[in-house]
Amino acid sequence: MIQITQVTDVVRKYTDEIGEEDVGKKIRLCGWVHEVRDHGGLVFVILRDREGFIQVTLPKKKVKPEVFKRAKKVHRESVVEVIGTVKAEPKAPGGYEVIPEEFKVLNEADAPLPLDVAEKVPAELDTRLDHRFLDLRKPRVQAIFRIRHCMLQSVRNFLCEEGFIEVNTPKIVSTATEGGTELFPISYFEKEAFLNQSPQLYKQVLMGAGLERVFEIGPIFRAEEHNTVRHLNEAISIDIEASFVDHEGVMRVLEKLVSRVYEDVCEKCEKYLNWLDVKLDVPEVPFERISYDEAIEIASKKGESIPWGEDISTTALKLIAEELPEHYFIVDWPTKSKPFYAMPYEDKPEVCKSFDLMCGYLELASGAQRIHFYDKLVERIRECGMSPESFGFYLEAFKYGMPPHSGWGLGADRLLMSILKLKNIREGVLFPRDRNRLIP
Ligand code: ATP
Ligand code: MG
């Protein structure tokens, strides 16, 4: 068994760290064999690590015979460790090459590969997801997840700066958030339980607990039957709830957050954006706000009429997106089209203080000012055909000093999809869960 080199005076470098100062010096590289080009007496091994590629050049006459032999017959995607001297080589990708004195095959990969990491043979998304660990080795795929990391870090930083406290609420629950459908039942000892579809009820209880501003980044589970490019059965939601703020207040937090994420990704992920060939423009705030009535009017002029009170169909949203291709809010939705906890306008109770954040036709977030009066909430739960008894722990929090509050839920996977203009939400999720996919 070949052992990894002990920590020595030879420093390990990532491929993107090699520069002018390394020329003539000995370095250590660790990674995968991306490609082997065998020209008989001259072999090139393209080594790939997390940060890029480097050419390892093996002229038969200049390297040890066993090193030459090993490199010549190594399989693609094997894990290797190379210790060698850096040379400037304008013809090599990146401008440098390494002449090895050591070439260790730490773990040989089987051949043939189930998926071509070098992307010379294209693969369908399904095949790629079946062999996701190999798919993720592709720099363009890895770039998506480096940007996702940056996006989530940016969200955390921003919300912390805005005074939000990060919380974690249970994902195994006994009550539905918004009614009985779309839930995954699970068996919980002798009881029936569900996977939570949203942290909504808990976030609100935390307003009753006096935390004032909370956020959670966590999974939501939706047993939706449909199979679309923007729905998953397990998604990551960025949720906030804030006390003493109305819907407009949390919309401002939301638009500032989105623009900040673009700024951070532009600033910190230039390299990965280049790998993906994506150019970003930081969206300007405030985002345009159109009312639900205006939205359905646009759709109706283009031939898709939505009966007042109904949710806006995908067809209609696509028509509206022709006029509004970037970020905008749809505000003031019919009360009956939104969940029971959305606050109706005092003077116009058929409309509520709610909003959706859109990017073109894609819904990124939904939010509202919430009802904070116990009696009103019970009434709305009944009107929506549900039983207040099943909301016991939630309703109790409204009896003993619940402040006015508002909040939203922003789909992290949707946000990434919109930033990188991914054609399918699954591209930005490591191991997506959908109607047909439970493995890996
Ligand atoms: P849609 O109408 O697009 O199905 P929704 O209105 O049912 O979404 P909400 O309950 O408002 O979704 O959830 C808040 C946010 O969480 C959504 O705006 C979206 O970004 C994200 N989200 C909700 N459901 C899913 C899902 N199945 N897959 C991915 N993201 C989701
Ligand atoms: Mg919604």
Side-chain angles (χ1 to χ4, degrees):
M1 211 74 91
I2 295 172
Q3 298 299 320
I4 194 161
T5 301
Q6 297 295 305
V7 178
T8 60
D9 46 359
V10 188
V11 274
R12 174 172 180 204
K13 289 241 173 181
Y14 282 112
T15 51
D16 72 336
E17 294 173 326
I18 296 164
E20 208 40 55
E21 68 284 2
D22 297 302
V23 173
K25 293 212 183 97
K26 212 192 310 180
I27 59 157
R28 176 174 167 241
L29 295 161
C30 298
W32 286 259
V33 172
H34 190 68
E35 229 179 291
V36 183
R37 288 191 214 127
D38 188 346
H39 301 283
L42 178 64
V43 174
F44 297 108
V45 173
I46 306 298
L47 180 146
R48 187 192 67 242
D49 64 17
R50 175 173 112 163
E51 304 300 343
F53 301 96
I54 187 127
Q55 177 174 302
V56 180
T57 307
L58 301 104
K60 190 169 184 181
K61 295 202 178 107
K62 291 194 185 150
V63 296
K64 286 185 243 165
E66 70 271 20
V67 163
F68 186 76
K69 226 167 87 191
R70 246 180 262 143
K72 205 175 170 73
K73 66 177 197 6
V74 70
H75 290 162
R76 282 164 60 200
E77 296 307 318
S78 298
V79 180
V80 294
E81 183 190 74
V82 173
I83 294 176
T85 310
V86 177
K87 260 183 69 183
E89 173 50 68
K91 275 184 272 165
Y96 300 97
E97 62 178 3
V98 171
I99 315 292
E101 82 186 34
E102 267 294 354
F103 187 99
K104 287 191 190 175
V105 180
L106 297 175
N107 211 342
E108 182 84 35
D110 278 359
L113 297 161
L115 191 79
D116 180 16
V117 178
E119 293 194 81
K120 296 207 167 106
V121 188
E124 296 290 329
L125 183 58
D126 260 329
T127 315
R128 291 176 40 207
L129 293 175
D130 286 343
H131 309 283
R132 191 57 150 162
F133 75 99
L134 277 175
D135 186 54
L136 285 161
R137 288 188 195 173
K138 299 173 187 164
R140 282 193 306 124
V141 177
Q142 218 161 91
I144 295 172
F145 293 92
R146 300 298 288 271
I147 293 165
R148 185 178 170 115
H149 161 75
C150 177
M151 172 188 92
L152 289 173
Q153 199 176 23
S154 171
V155 166
R156 275 207 168 82
N157 290 344
F158 174 80
L159 291 175
C160 293
E161 283 163 29
E162 293 281 315
F164 288 84
I165 297 167
E166 183 161 11
V167 297
N168 303 102
T169 63
K171 303 304 153 208
I172 302 175
V173 297
S174 74
T175 5
T177 309
E178 294 164 26
T181 57
E182 295 184 5
L183 284 171
F184 286 112
I186 55 167
S187 73
Y188 190 72
F189 306 106
E190 60 286 346
K191 291 199 181 80
E192 186 184 49
F194 303 95
L195 292 175
N196 209 0
Q197 69 186 115
S198 150
Q200 184 60 30
L201 305 186
Y202 290 95
K203 285 194 302 179
Q204 292 193 259
V205 168
L206 292 175
M207 296 302 99
L211 269 65
E212 288 208 25
R213 287 159 93 80
V214 300
F215 78 100
E216 175 164 15
I217 302 176
I220 53 171
F221 302 92
R222 310 254 166 133
E224 294 168 300
E225 295 271 343
H226 47 240
N227 218 342
T228 76
V229 294
R230 63 183 204 284
H231 288 95
L232 295 164
N233 293 112
E234 176 178 347
I236 298 296
S237 174
I238 301 159
D239 261 272
I240 75 155
E241 205 64 35
S243 292
F244 309 109
V245 182
D246 66 5
H247 56 302
E248 177 58 34
V250 289
M251 281 162 71
R252 288 186 195 177
V253 174
L254 180 53
E255 62 192 359
K256 254 170 86 180
L257 169 76
V258 170
S259 121
R260 167 71 173 271
V261 167
Y262 274 78
E263 267 171 35
D264 285 345
V265 169
C266 281
E267 190 192 315
K268 295 176 184 153
C269 295
E270 200 189 336
K271 171 174 157 185
Y272 305 113
L273 289 169
N274 285 339
W275 284 6
L276 285 165
D277 208 12
V278 168
K279 252 195 69 63
L280 289 190
D281 294 314
V282 178
E284 268 181 46
V285 290
F287 298 157
E288 191 165 345
R289 285 133 166 82
I290 62 163
S291 67
Y292 169 90
D293 291 0
E294 286 165 333
I296 60 170
E297 175 70 22
I298 296 173
S300 131
K301 278 198 183 132
K302 289 170 177 275
E304 173 79 359
S305 60
I306 303 287
W308 196 90
E310 307 250 305
D311 200 1
I312 307 179
S313 66
T314 307
T315 314
L317 288 173
K318 285 188 172 160
L319 294 170
I320 297 164
E322 292 173 359
E323 311 291 304
L324 297 155
E326 301 296 330
H327 295 90
Y328 62 100
F329 284 106
I330 303 178
V331 301
D332 299 345
W333 289 71
T335 304
K336 66 175 175 185
S337 72
K338 286 289 172 188
F340 67 86
Y341 47 76
M343 175 75 102
Y345 281 97
E346 294 79 32
D347 53 346
K348 210 179 172 198
E350 66 280 11
V351 179
C352 64
K353 301 180 180 179
S354 64
F355 57 87
D356 276 9
L357 171 64
M358 310 296 297
C359 181
Y361 89 102
L362 187 69
E363 179 189 316
L364 296 183
S366 283
Q369 183 172 338
R370 325 296 193 185
I371 296 170
H372 59 285
F373 299 116
Y374 179 87
D375 293 339
K376 180 80 198 149
L377 200 53
V378 170
E379 186 188 314
R380 284 291 298 140
I381 289 173
R382 288 219 174 88
E383 277 171 16
C384 291
M386 291 178 292
S387 123
E389 287 68 49
S390 57
F391 289 91
F393 84 92
Y394 171 68
L395 283 174
E396 191 195 24
F398 289 78
K399 270 192 182 170
Y400 306 100
M402 174 63 88
H405 60 278
S406 305
W408 43 252
L410 164 66
D413 318 287
R414 294 250 181 113
L415 180 61
L416 184 68
M417 183 184 178
S418 64
I419 293 173
L420 297 180
K421 303 190 170 61
L422 304 175
K423 296 214 165 60
N424 193 318
I425 195 168
R426 292 162 184 77
E427 295 272 359
V429 177
L430 288 172
F431 301 104
R433 287 292 170 262
D434 63 30
R435 191 83 176 86
N436 306 310
R437 191 167 282 283
L438 190 56
I439 301 169

